[in-house]
Amino acid sequence: MDKLKSVLSGEEARNDRTVMQTVNEASTLSWATRIKGFIACFVVGGACTILGVCVLFLPKVGITLFIVFYTFGNICALGSTMFLMGPVKQLKRMCDKTRALATTIMITCLVLTLCAAFWWKNFGLALLFCILQVLAFAWYSLSYIPCVRLVFSVIMCSY
């Protein structure tokens, strides 16, 4: 009842909390819950990816199911890390200057894979975008380990 009175009297509007602080307070999870959410989301992502590979060889619908399951698996795997850091911090890190290009390429490949499969009906192009998804996701993941992308680049350039 006190909450209703404060809202109706306008006292609630004088609160100095930002929207982000309010969202953060409403969505804070314990560390154990974060770990469970991460594991569950990561396992679902891995299962979808494996299921996608298993259905790849079904006649007529195999390639479409592969693309859907594989892309959904990558989205789940990416989303699983949001449990560890929190969604706002994860999005800030994804847009960090060291990861911005990798993030943009990865999300673009996810979208283009689905577009190639469903709107353009070009499965060769969809498979190409799936391969690019793997490479972009790997490059994005390597950006979280200090100096690994630099070492990998030097190794690849030496060949």
Side-chain angles (χ1 to χ4, degrees):
M1 191 67 172
D2 292 331
K3 179 84 170 163
L4 180 61
K5 285 180 184 177
S6 66
V7 169
L8 293 175
S9 67
E11 292 176 17
E12 178 94 345
R14 286 185 242 141
N15 197 348
D16 290 337
R17 294 186 315 175
T18 65
V19 173
M20 294 307 290
Q21 288 172 335
T22 306
V23 168
N24 191 30
E25 284 179 16
S27 64
T28 41
L29 301 172
S30 69
W31 186 246
T33 306
R34 287 176 184 254
I35 294 294
K36 290 174 189 173
F38 167 75
I39 291 171
C41 206
F42 194 78
V43 167
V44 168
C48 284
T49 302
I50 291 169
L51 184 60
V53 172
C54 291
V55 300
L56 179 60
F57 301 105
L58 291 176
K60 294 188 181 186
V61 296
I63 192 80
T64 305
L65 290 175
F66 166 73
I67 289 165
V68 169
F69 282 122
Y70 188 78
T71 302
F72 184 71
N74 278 342
I75 292 169
C76 283
L78 181 63
S80 68
T81 58
M82 288 191 183
F83 281 100
L84 295 179
M85 293 185 238
V88 174
K89 192 172 183 180
Q90 172 73 12
L91 290 173
K92 283 182 182 177
R93 284 194 174 177
M94 286 175 74
C95 297
D96 203 23
K97 74 175 190 173
T98 58
R99 292 181 195 95
L101 181 61
T103 301
T104 303
I105 293 171
M106 182 178 59
I107 292 172
T108 302
C109 287
L110 289 170
V111 171
L112 288 176
T113 301
L114 294 173
C115 288
F118 294 113
W119 283 287
W120 305 327
K121 305 281 189 217
N122 187 337
F123 295 114
L125 193 59
L127 286 176
L128 174 67
F129 287 134
C130 276
I131 293 167
L132 291 175
Q133 269 187 53
V134 172
L135 296 174
F137 198 74
W139 191 251
Y140 170 79
S141 298
L142 289 176
S143 72
Y144 281 96
I145 305 169
C147 300
V148 170
R149 289 198 311 183
L150 178 64
V151 171
F152 187 76
S153 297
V154 169
I155 291 170
M156 293 308 290
C157 289
S158 66
Y159 288 111

